[in-house]
Amino acid sequence: MNTLDKDIAGWGRYPVQRCELVRPERHSELWSEATSLLARGQGRSYGDAALNEGGRVVLTERINRFLAFDRDQGIVRAEAGLTLAELLAVTVPRGWFPLVTPGTKHVSLGGCVAADVHGKNHHHDGAFGRGVRELELITADGRRLRCSPQENAAAFHATLGGMGLTGIIGEVELQLQPIDSAWIRARHQGAANLEQLFELLQDSDEQARYSVAWVDLMSRGAALGRGVVMNGDHAGRDELSGGRRLTPLRLPPHKVRNIPIDMPGWLLNGLSIRAFNSRYFRSEGGRTAPFLVDYDTFFYPLDTLHNWNRLYGKRGFVQYQCVVPTAGALAAMQQIMQRLAASGHPAFLGVLKRMGAQGEGHLSFPMEGYTLAMDLPMKGAATLALLDAFDAVVLQHGGRVYLAKDARLAPESFRAMYPQFDAWQQVRHELDPQGVFSSSLSRRLRMGEAQ
Ligand SMILES: Cc1cc2nc3c(=O)[nH]c(=O)nc-3n(C[C@H](O)[C@H](O)[C@H](O)COP(=O)(O)OP(=O)(O)OC[C@H]3O[C@@H](n4cnc5c(N)ncnc54)[C@H](O)[C@@H]3O)c2cc1C
């Protein structure tokens, strides 16, 4: 098979590393004598989870066939390189939607399993693994292992959230949820500060299937943490009118714009972000009456701007996402936002949401509490020091950082944040005793080493 040495990065474009790329057409071509291997889907993880510096990276984008679709039961089986966008295009017109979706549809099923991704409905429906009926895992010795909560359950739970380190996920079988329309009944509510935002999110638990809050990370003083809660539920066909009612499962056409080149790094600065946030807070916070929005706009607003990561310029950016158990969450998020404000570091796209109970994956990120995500332009040592300070707050409150977004966590912090690491490591060692599957993230976090 042809190989290509190339500098690649995650979605945040930090770090950039040289890897040996292969792009097989089918799983039978996968097997090789490579001593260090890692699967990569759409490269939508932000940091170094889908990088394997100096080792081989298997691009799965061509291993993306639909294998079966039971239209009565909503069960779909596909190769793991299939993207959610490709899945939605087939299943939505037939009235089926994924149980869980992240904030972009340009992710592979393999990436969704490996990060056990969560959506706006985690408080209701758990993480992606909840909808996975079965996986096929291709292990280091070339076996094809069927894994499910019933069969090879240990391998299943180590692979959910296992960041590609238990093997290559070859096939995924998913249970979908029925929908009557491609539309979401949404409503927004503005909150003057973080405390109010927490209260609104808590109320949303009972009121809405999907809920998430946008946070103005540039707000200060009494307005610290002001934001807008966005709730939504799948709309019934009888809620639609006119042409929409005639074709309720059809998505209206969308314009996708492109950022063609790297923007200058100074474009996103404190001033421009503050101006955008003020406008956004006023316009979106005031939309309190329910309105209909198509699922694409509701779930994937950033997908309308192709290559939006170029807005951060050549140095890229880091997304910091943490979750903190409910009891200390408000205090922790306040401390993080105060530290951010004191540092003067610009931060864009703050997102806060409630999470439900922890799932079955040993290294799955979600836990009952609140999760905060923010994008920070990469400014070298200053950014890294600020994020270390955030880690200290998160650790103090019993929380953790999301590996799918991470590019810089320290190994000691990782171990303290993921108490099921030992259980995971044991299963991983049984599946891959030589440690063939490896990534830049796993080596940085020393995930192959004993305690
Ligand atoms: C705009 C945007 C919004 C996002 N919103 C959310 C969100 O709301 N919730 C959330 O949880 N995440 C979110 N993410 C993160 C994203 O969902 C995850 O990082 C996901 O893993 C990306 O899938 P991918 O196919 O791009 O995987 P990659 O980034 O290519 O890989 C991610 C990990 O999966 C492993 N992997 C990929 N394919 C396989 C395979 N076939 N077998 C074994 N391992 C594999 C890789 O080795 C790597 O460790 C978002 C990302 C972006 C860019």
Side-chain angles (χ1 to χ4, degrees):
M1 200 184 325
N2 292 336
T3 63
L4 172 69
D5 285 342
K6 200 173 170 201
D7 288 339
I8 59 168
W11 189 247
R13 307 174 77 212
Y14 169 85
V16 178
Q17 294 177 351
R18 180 141 292 214
C19 304
E20 184 193 69
L21 307 183
V22 294
R23 189 182 277 119
E25 300 284 337
R26 53 196 78 246
H27 288 131
S28 53
E29 293 169 28
L30 268 180
W31 221 241
S32 73
E33 294 306 309
T35 49
S36 173
L37 267 186
L38 184 75
R40 177 174 167 111
Q42 292 290 312
R44 254 47 178 202
S45 51
Y46 282 72
D48 54 1
L51 303 181
N52 189 14
E53 189 169 29
R56 181 168 287 188
V57 170
V58 180
L59 306 175
T60 60
E61 59 211 28
R62 289 191 187 150
I63 310 180
N64 65 344
R65 296 161 189 86
F66 265 97
L67 301 172
F69 181 24
D70 178 337
R71 296 173 189 199
D72 298 326
Q73 304 296 322
I75 297 171
V76 66
R77 191 173 179 99
E79 291 177 336
L82 189 85
T83 65
L84 276 187
E86 291 161 339
L87 180 116
L88 290 161
V90 170
T91 64
V92 169
R94 289 157 181 93
W96 293 99
F97 199 78
L99 202 57
V100 170
T101 174
T104 170
K105 59 183 182 298
H106 301 303
V107 285
S108 67
L109 298 185
C112 289
V113 172
D116 197 14
V117 298
H118 56 272
K120 298 177 181 183
N121 55 341
H122 190 269
H123 57 291
H124 260 261
D125 300 307
F128 196 79
R130 184 78 72 82
V132 177
R133 289 167 52 90
E134 190 181 282
L135 299 174
E136 183 197 65
L137 183 69
I138 306 173
T139 58
D141 55 7
R143 273 180 305 153
R144 288 164 172 253
L145 212 60
R146 280 159 64 115
C147 310
S148 71
Q150 294 79 33
E151 193 177 356
N152 292 312
F156 182 77
H157 294 136
T159 301
L160 269 189
M163 304 312 291
L165 300 166
T166 56
I168 296 183
I169 301 159
E171 295 175 9
V172 181
E173 189 172 289
L174 287 178
Q175 176 66 59
L176 308 175
Q177 56 167 322
I179 48 168
D180 283 343
S181 81
W183 296 83
I184 300 288
R185 184 187 342 105
R187 59 223 166 269
H188 292 178
Q189 238 179 319
N193 55 41
L194 194 62
E195 254 178 278
Q196 266 189 31
L197 205 57
F198 265 65
E199 279 165 24
L200 288 180
L201 276 173
Q202 198 168 358
D203 294 346
S204 303
D205 253 18
E206 282 116 54
Q207 294 165 10
R209 177 88 179 270
Y210 301 102
S211 80
V212 69
W214 167 83
V215 196
D216 178 0
L217 292 170
M218 302 304 281
S219 56
R220 301 285 181 262
L224 187 84
R226 71 174 180 173
V228 180
V229 172
M230 300 162 175
N231 287 335
D233 288 283
H234 290 283
R237 185 183 173 159
D238 54 355
E239 295 176 58
L240 311 178
S241 54
R244 289 181 188 173
R245 196 170 188 148
L246 291 175
T247 53
L249 293 163
R250 186 185 293 168
L251 201 60
H254 279 266
K255 259 206 183 116
V256 177
R257 279 169 302 161
N258 185 30
I259 306 286
I261 50 164
D262 284 335
M263 290 288 130
W266 48 259
L267 189 76
L268 290 180
N269 56 47
L271 227 75
S272 63
I273 296 174
R274 201 165 280 128
F276 171 87
N277 285 3
S278 292
R279 265 203 317 276
Y280 192 81
F281 181 71
R282 274 197 308 275
S283 67
E284 295 305 311
R287 297 179 81 182
T288 47
F291 58 97
L292 287 173
V293 56
D294 64 79
Y295 79 82
D296 210 45
T297 307
F298 182 77
F299 289 109
Y300 313 118
L302 289 168
D303 287 351
T304 54
L305 199 54
H306 202 54
N307 291 318
W308 63 261
N309 52 353
R310 290 180 176 160
L311 285 170
Y312 286 88
K314 272 207 166 66
R315 290 185 83 181
F317 67 106
V318 185
Q319 179 164 114
Y320 188 80
Q321 183 169 5
C322 62
V323 58
V324 175
T326 309
L330 177 59
M333 302 309 179
Q334 269 167 341
Q335 282 172 34
I336 288 176
M337 287 186 199
Q338 278 155 0
R339 274 175 191 262
L340 175 70
S343 74
H345 199 298
F348 205 42
L349 266 188
V351 175
L352 182 73
K353 72 167 271 69
R354 246 173 95 74
M355 289 195 136
Q358 173 137 14
E360 300 292 329
H362 296 136
L363 298 186
S364 289
F365 166 71
M367 61 161 82
E368 181 130 23
Y370 287 81
T371 176
L372 175 69
M374 63 175 89
D375 289 350
L376 299 114
M378 185 56 187
K379 294 187 180 295
T383 310
L384 297 173
L386 180 64
L387 298 183
D388 286 347
F390 290 175
D391 288 347
V393 176
V394 171
L395 274 167
Q396 189 198 338
H397 291 88
R400 61 172 67 123
V401 163
Y402 191 9
L403 299 183
K405 311 283 177 82
D406 181 48
R408 33 63 51 195
L409 189 66
E412 307 74 41
S413 305
F414 161 68
R415 298 248 172 143
M417 289 173 177
Y418 285 85
Q420 290 195 57
F421 173 68
D422 286 346
W424 176 83
Q425 211 186 24
Q426 203 176 330
V427 182
R428 192 217 175 194
H429 185 72
E430 283 160 18
L431 291 168
D432 180 12
Q434 310 298 328
V436 170
F437 290 101
S438 179
S439 66
S440 298
L441 174 132
S442 76
R443 292 188 294 275
R444 175 169 57 79
L445 296 178
R446 301 199 199 116
M447 294 170 79
E449 292 172 21
Q451 281 275 46

